[in-house]
Every structure is written in C-alpha cells, then in structure tokens.
Amino acid sequence: MEKQKKDCSWNEMNSYKQLEIAGGKRMGIKASDALPLSLPLGLTNKVFFVMFFSAAYFLMTRWREKMAMSTPLHVVSLGELVAIVAQLASFVYLVGFFGIDYVQNAMVGIGDDDFERREELKSRACIDEVVPCSERERETKQVQVQLIKGVAVGENSDEDIAAAVCNGSVASYSLESSLGDCRRAASVRRRALELMTGICLDGLPLEGFDYDSILGQCCEMPVGVVQIPVGVAGPLLLNGLEYMVPMATTEGCLVASTNRGCKAIHMSGGATSILLRDGMTRAPLVRFASAKRAADLKFYLEHPNNAEALSHLFNRTSRFGRLQGIKCAIAGRNVYMRFSCSTGDAMGMNMVSKGVQNVLDYLQNEFPDMDVISVSGNFCADKKATAVNWIEGRGKSVVCEAVIREEVVSKVLKTTVGALLELNMVKNLTGSAMAGAVGGFNAHSSNIVSAVFIATGQDPAQNVESSQCITMMEAANDGKDLHVSVTMPSVQVGTVGGGTQLASQAACLNLLGVKGANAESAGANAQCLAKIVAGAVLAGELSLMSALAAGQLVNSHMKYNRSSKDVKTTT
C-alpha cells in the first residue's frame, strides 16, 4: 500500500540528503576532542587568540626599537624569549584546532552536533515515495544524479535530467541544445520546476504546441502554454470590405460590445480608414564634452546635404528598411537622434535598430569625441505613452470614420445622437483633459487594441502607445446623424516576424487576409492590419459610449461578465 508522506520543503530535504551523504551514520567525533583542555572551549580559544596577537605586537615593537638603536636582533632578553614561546604555543594550538576541524569536515561532513538535526530531517523528509502531482501533493524527492562522463545528456531519463537541473548539474537554458528536442526540453524543464517548487503544474497545458517554432525568437525556457479564448467581432465593413476581427481576451462583454458596434457601422454603410503615415522610430543617445559639439552633430544630421549619405548607410542594412528622416533633440551636451524609417510588413524594431547602429558607426569616425551612451535613449519612444508619439506618430498613423444613421443609433445602440455628443464632450475630451491624459481621449481603445494584438501575434506591450487615441463625435446631416471618428497616431503592427509566425496567430492573420508579406506592395499587409485595428476600435468606442449614455454598462457586465443577479435588488 502506497504510503502518504508529509510535505517537506526543498531546503529541508536537500539539507537531509547532504547530511546523509556526508555522514552515512552517527559521527561522535568533535575537532576539540583531539585537544585535552581543562577550560571551556570558547574561553580557551579566546585566551590563545589574545596570546598570539599580544606576543606578536610585543615582538614587533621590540625589534623596531633594536633596529633604531642598531642592536643585533639575535640578542634576546628574557621577556622576548617568553613572548616567542607564547606565540609559538598559541600558533600551534590555533593551527591544530582549526586544522583538525577542517580535515574532519572535509572527510565526514557532520559530527555529533549535527546528528539530532539529521534525525529530525530524516523524520520529516519525503524520500521513499513521491505523491503523484495529479493528487495536488507537493513533490519532495530529490534525485542525486551523476551524469556519466562521455554520455550525452539526452541518453539519461527525463527524471534524472530534471533532477540534474535542480542541483545545477545541467543548465535549464541549455536543455534545447543538449537534448535536441524542444518539446522534451519543455517537459524536462517543467518537471524540474515542479521538483524545485513543490507546486503542481497540471493546470498549465504542455501538449498541442510547436515548441520548435519559438526557439531563439519568441520565448525562452518554456514550460507550457497559456490558453486565451479568441472571439470574433463582425463583420466589420471597412473600406468596402468585410472583416471578421479576432479578439483574444478574458474580459466578458468586450467581444459582444465590439460586435454591436460593427453591426451599427455595417447598417450605416460602413467605415472608412485612412493611413496618414508609416514610420517606425529608434532614438539613440550620444554625449559630447560640450553643448557646442552636441549642437554640431545636430546641425550635421539635419543638413539636407548629408541626407543622401546617411540614407545610404541606413538602407544598406535591410531590403525593406528605408530611412525617412532624423530629428534631433538636445539636453545639455546630450543628443537624442530620432530616426524614422519604413519597415515593410514587419513591425520593424530590429530592422530600424540595425540601421541606426550602422549610422552610429559612421558618425563615430566623423565625430571621434562622440560617446555613444545607448542605442535607445527613450526619445523613440517605445512602450511608453509619450507626447512625441502623440504628436509625431510612431508606426502607423491611422484615422477611421463612419456616419451612423439616427435610426441605427436608436434601434441598435439604444440611445440618441444628442446623448452621445454630450457624453463624448464631457467624458472623452473634458474628463481626459482633467486627468492630464496623453493620447487618452477615448473610452477604452486599449481594450480592443490589446485583444487584437494578442490574437494576431503583435507585441502586447506596445499596446501602451498603440492605443493612444482621440475619439470625436459630431452631428451630421443637419444634426440627425452621428459622425464618429478615431485618430490613432501610433499603431505598431506587423504581419511578419515575432509572434505572427506562430500557428494560432498566423491563423488569425489569415482570417483577416493579411498573413505574411505582401508580394505586390511591401508593407501593404501591415498597413491594412493597422486600418482594421482602427476600425475595430471605432466599433468598440461606439458601443461602449452608447452603453454608458443609455445606462446599460453595469447591468450588461453583471449579466455577461460577473453575475446574473439583478443589481437593483442586491442589498
């Protein structure tokens, strides 16, 4: 019958194994047993320490006096003789005491003082049986692995390799290269994590994922995958074409709300989305000895006569990266150079960074006193809500608009044009201004941007600047209908590279018809994706604002996102 063991911590179990290996049996020998002492051990040690250093100090003082008086050192007085004997005696004691203790510890590891600790750990350590992880018990058995020399790591069992990862014999990050099997590496790393933490990972899926596809580009040291449900909103009628928009989210009502906005747009004839500019940025930081030299670099970079040469240096690092311009900002003797370039269908961060580095290498020869501080000086600005992105743009700058007919506002959105106009003014515009928002003049654009980004393999962290948006609502057609628009100056998306190549994300891109690079026009697919993101944001803004204007928000979230209880009757 399988015995159930008590939980024991990893440290306790590891300590027990070290004691067990080092000792093997009860050791009753102490280092101090080799020295016959009449005084307590602690006091004896103090006496000999004081004796050693006192004698050394006395002898050094006497020898310094003899050297000053030209007295031979071999002429020794009675006091000096006593000091020499005392120092030798204390030295012999100290070497003998600590030497015996060191040798004993090196050979057997533990003594009588450790025996009770070893017995306690033995009684608590779970070393005989391992409770199955499926029973949600903590794993407590540490396997001591000695990988055979000359034998490949992969020829050992997964359990032994996991234990070797635990004790440091095998590096976790090297499992893929050592085993030559990314799926097995993830499994072994996951098992090692369970052994080290004692935590069961049954709820984290391992199967059904191509771990080879992320090696060296998406995620290091994987132990499983996280599942996020993907819904679709649509059809979104945009620029005369219909799109079913994939949205990966765990928030209730979000897809349903966006879908309602898509319906309102479709019934009103569709939306129009326009690309205003397309340029990814990177801003290196350099420093000079003086502000004058910093200004010299600024004038050099912004002079029209140097543009062609700098563009050639930048463009030769990529087939698709093309330098559009450089804008400089100076803070004292520091120069922030904001490079902007087109990047084809890639989001382009690596592409622009490579081009920037090539230009910096050239500038180092032209300005030998230039000190490169960082390839990114935060004037880019990446993954931060900034005024420079709001004003100058980064990535794709897009505007999307639609005219929603009065009857659609009434029947589908359950509100009125007048109510939406007033709410947008006091909430999205005035309310955001009161909060000091930077590009936050909207209801919830980040909700839609994040959901579409995750579904299509974009960098979720770039939601920060990509969701900068101003939502405008105005009366149209003599005040009957509603003109609604979203302006998004910093949407950063790509259809090649990064997470876009993973099977699930590629399927979502394929659903939108923008998967991979566009064969006819470089960058067209990524630009189309940015327009779709803006169209989905327009639908989401329209629906949420209508729910707020009609007072439906709380009830809908209680019904679909949290509870079916009637909030009016809840006490």
Side-chain angles (χ1 to χ4, degrees), residues 251-264:
E251 179 181 350
C253 292
L254 180 60
V255 177
S257 178
T258 307
N259 189 66
R260 183 174 74 150
C262 290
K263 180 180 180 181

Side-chain angles (χ1 to χ4, degrees), residues 359-392:
V359 174
L360 287 177
D361 294 340
Y362 170 79
L363 291 176
Q364 192 76 75
N365 295 324
E366 297 294 314
F367 295 84
D369 55 336
M370 181 181 75
D371 184 14
V372 179
I373 304 300
S374 174
V375 73
S376 175
N378 272 13
F379 189 50
C380 312
D382 186 38
K383 300 177 176 66
K384 286 165 280 290
T386 58
V388 69
N389 285 348
W390 179 241
I391 297 170
E392 298 289 342

Side-chain angles (χ1 to χ4, degrees), residues 311-439:
S311 295
H312 175 72
L313 289 166
F314 186 98
N315 296 346
R316 70 184 186 184
T317 63
S318 169
R319 289 186 301 157
F320 301 105
R322 294 294 178 265
L323 183 63
Q324 297 171 337
I326 306 173
K327 292 187 177 181
C328 295
I330 289 183
R333 56 197 182 102
N334 300 305
V335 184
Y336 299 82
M337 301 172 279
R338 195 170 192 260
F339 288 71
S340 178
C341 77
S342 59
T343 57
D345 284 302
M347 183 269 288
M349 285 298 300
N350 293 334
M351 191 183 300
V352 66
S353 296
K354 187 166 58 173
V356 165
Q357 186 62 58
N358 207 46
V359 174
L360 287 177
D361 294 340
Y362 170 79
L363 291 176
Q364 192 76 75
N365 295 324
E366 297 294 314
F367 295 84
D369 55 336
M370 181 181 75
D371 184 14
V372 179
I373 304 300
S374 174
V375 73
S376 175
N378 272 13
F379 189 50
C380 312
D382 186 38
K383 300 177 176 66
K384 286 165 280 290
T386 58
V388 69
N389 285 348
W390 179 241
I391 297 170
E392 298 289 342
R394 186 172 194 254
K396 277 72 174 169
S397 298
V398 189
V399 60
C400 186
E401 64 176 350
V403 176
I404 310 300
R405 296 201 303 268
E406 182 182 25
E407 57 268 26
V408 174
V409 173
S410 175
K411 293 180 180 179
V412 177
L413 301 178
K414 310 299 182 183
T415 185
T416 64
V417 172
L420 285 172
L421 294 176
E422 181 182 11
L423 180 62
N424 189 69
M425 175 61 71
V426 297
K427 171 184 165 60
N428 287 342
L429 303 184
T430 308
S432 296
M434 292 293 291
V438 177

Side-chain angles (χ1 to χ4, degrees), residues 212-234:
D212 291 311
S213 65
I214 64 173
L215 181 62
Q217 50 194 355
C218 286
C219 178
E220 298 76 35
M221 298 191 289
V223 294
V225 292
V226 172
Q227 297 172 320
I228 300 179
V230 178
V232 289

Side-chain angles (χ1 to χ4, degrees), residues 42 148 167 185 193 217 257 312 355 360 363 449 468 524 539 560:
I148 303 174
N167 63 31
L193 183 61
Q217 50 194 355
S257 178
H312 175 72
L360 287 177
L363 291 176
V449 171
Q468 288 186 310
Y560 297 108

Side-chain angles (χ1 to χ4, degrees), residues 261-299:
C262 290
K263 180 180 180 181
I265 292 171
H266 199 292
M267 292 177 63
S268 299
T272 302
S273 188
I274 304 108
L275 183 79
L276 302 177
R277 70 169 71 91
D278 183 4
M280 180 51 67
T281 63
R282 173 61 86 194
L285 164 62
V286 300
R287 178 180 294 162
F288 290 89
S290 66
K292 180 183 181 304
R293 287 294 291 159
D296 289 342
L297 176 62
K298 172 181 168 64
F299 298 147

Side-chain angles (χ1 to χ4, degrees), residues 112-141:
D112 189 59
D113 293 340
D114 297 318
F115 182 73
E116 292 184 3
R117 172 64 175 162
R118 186 172 69 87
E119 289 297 314
E120 177 187 355
L121 289 171
K122 182 176 180 180
S123 66
R124 298 175 61 187
C126 311
I127 62 172
D128 295 325
E129 301 290 340
V130 178
V131 179
C133 186
S134 60
E135 297 180 20
R136 296 181 175 273
E137 294 290 338
R138 298 176 64 193
E139 174 61 57
T140 54
K141 179 179 180 181

